Amino acid sequence: MLKLRSSGLSCGVCANFRIPIPRCYMNSITTSSIDVKPKVPLYLRPPSFSASLSELTKWHKWAKNLASSVGSSFINLDNGPDSTLLRRELNWLLQDLIELQYRSVILSRLESGNNENPDVSVALRAPLEEMYCVWRQRIEKRRPFQYVVGCEHWRDLVLSVQEGVLIPRPETEVIIDLVEGVALNNAPELAQSFWADLGTGSGAIAIATARALATHARGDACGRVIATDLSSVAVAVATSNVQRYGLQDVVEVRKGSWFEPLKDVQGKLAGVLSNPPYIPSGDISGLQAEVGQHEPILALDGGISGTNDLLHLIDGVASMLKPGGFFAFETNGEQQCKFLVEYIENEKPGSFRDMNIVSDFAGIQRFVMGFCR
């Protein structure tokens, strides 16, 4: 779990351990009640199980053959993973599964086919019976690899994810680049106020924003982040991720829809960020199986044109931001961006300044950003 993984998950046209940060000691905000217990990612489970090397070798050979049988069929079907990517995922799964102390030795023997001492016991974080089941789900049911291992690497974070929570995508990292490179560089005082991450999912944007605020804070004054989500599962998972990174005094997770949980900070926010649902309803059935059949529809479906939630955010953000406050929203790209800018210019004249459309890593115009007047 020490290197960045990219599973190739695509959403429409989109294609390490704790790192301490300076703590900001402020009066705490009561966190929303959690009614869902998040699952523990595989790499964080204790190595409470074991199997002989011969049993593990048998499973590895079976899993590799199952991955190889896919060939390019998933690519041809819906631009899904090919055998090469699946075998790479299998190696990542083994890294999470095998107890750390002898991991490199065991992995080397599995790859080389070394059958010396086949009865030696290997400490595992899950039973092999479960591994047969989850790898079959990965291939036959197209269950996302991130749900199989229970986490996703995003920027320098390792975030817990599970069914019911959107898997954070690499392109969404650009939002944090905008927070640091545009908002905080141009207006450093924004690092000392409240920010909001709407539809937080795993808490990725909220956690990364909190760390950025701490880096840019002056003295002991540090900003806070309020993360909202309508999903009880997302609230539980985001809260767990916040706690694992020691940010529970800086990031508060609230359950509710968009701006509804933020009435106490209306007009006081320094920044509003969101990666909302933006896939047109008619496009959902054509998504990669890992996305359309497994990730939460609530986090994907943006209505007929894909802009229902984006327009709601645009309509509400001016009243939530304080003068000079910053916003950045992710979109489905290109036409949605242009539509939103035109909507702001026509329907919200004089509300914002320095609006801009920003491209993602693939050069697709993906983000709309600006400042409140």
Side-chain angles (χ1 to χ4, degrees), residues 27 43 47 54 63 108 141 148 185 196 198 239 244 293-294 342 349 357 362:
N27 294 330
Y43 85 103
S54 62
S108 176
K141 301 295 184 181
V148 169
N185 277 351
L198 306 183
T239 299
R244 189 156 53 82
Q293 295 178 19
H294 293 276
E342 291 176 0
I357 293 174

Side-chain angles (χ1 to χ4, degrees), residues 155-168:
R155 291 181 75 88
D156 56 350
L157 304 170
V158 183
L159 299 164
S160 297
V161 293
Q162 64 187 60
E163 279 80 358
V165 176
L166 187 75
I167 299 165

Side-chain angles (χ1 to χ4, degrees), residues 68-283:
S68 297
S69 70
V70 170
S72 59
S73 60
F74 293 167
I75 289 182
N76 297 332
L77 182 64
D78 56 17
N79 199 33
D82 63 3
S83 289
T84 300
L85 177 55
L86 291 170
R87 287 193 295 267
R88 192 180 309 143
E89 290 181 355
L90 177 59
N91 185 56
W92 292 334
L93 177 58
L94 281 166
Q95 291 181 42
D96 286 5
L97 175 65
I98 300 171
E99 190 268 335
L100 179 62
Q101 185 176 2
Y102 301 107
R103 178 191 297 163
S104 59
V105 175
I106 298 300
L107 289 175
S108 176
R109 292 184 65 173
L110 288 174
E111 288 300 324
S112 66
N114 185 343
N115 294 319
E116 182 182 354
N117 299 324
D119 294 329
V120 66
S121 181
V122 181
L124 304 175
R125 302 184 189 279
L128 273 187
E129 293 83 358
E130 180 181 332
M131 292 299 99
Y132 275 104
C133 180
V134 298
W135 192 247
R136 187 176 287 111
Q137 290 175 347
R138 175 68 188 108
I139 305 299
E140 298 177 359
K141 301 295 184 181
R142 303 283 299 276
R143 186 184 178 204
F145 177 72
Q146 291 87 343
Y147 291 164
V148 169
V149 294
C151 66
E152 170 66 323
H153 291 237
W154 193 81
R155 291 181 75 88
D156 56 350
L157 304 170
V158 183
L159 299 164
S160 297
V161 293
Q162 64 187 60
E163 279 80 358
V165 176
L166 187 75
I167 299 165
R169 304 304 202 270
E171 57 264 24
T172 306
E173 296 179 12
V174 172
I175 287 183
I176 309 304
D177 295 335
L178 296 177
V179 170
E180 295 186 299
V182 178
L184 299 182
N185 277 351
N186 291 323
E189 68 277 6
L190 295 180
Q192 298 167 277
S193 300
F194 285 101
W195 286 65
D197 170 24
L198 306 183
T200 193
S202 65
I205 292 175
I207 292 170
T209 298
R211 289 152 64 102
L213 297 181
T215 300
H216 288 77
R218 298 173 178 174
D220 294 332
C222 178
R224 306 282 292 277
V225 181
I226 303 173
T228 72
D229 206 293
L230 187 60
S231 163
S232 296
V233 178
V235 168
V237 170
T239 299
S240 176
N241 283 323
V242 167
Q243 292 172 345
R244 189 156 53 82
Y245 280 94
L247 295 171
Q248 57 268 29
D249 294 334
V250 185
V251 180
E252 179 192 2
V253 185
R254 298 182 181 181
K255 187 176 187 297
S257 176
W258 301 126
F259 299 109
E260 289 177 4
L262 300 175
K263 294 178 181 178
D264 59 321
V265 291
Q266 184 169 353
K268 302 176 183 178
L269 292 173
V272 174
L273 312 170
S274 185
N275 174 23
Y278 53 63
I279 304 298
S281 301
D283 293 349

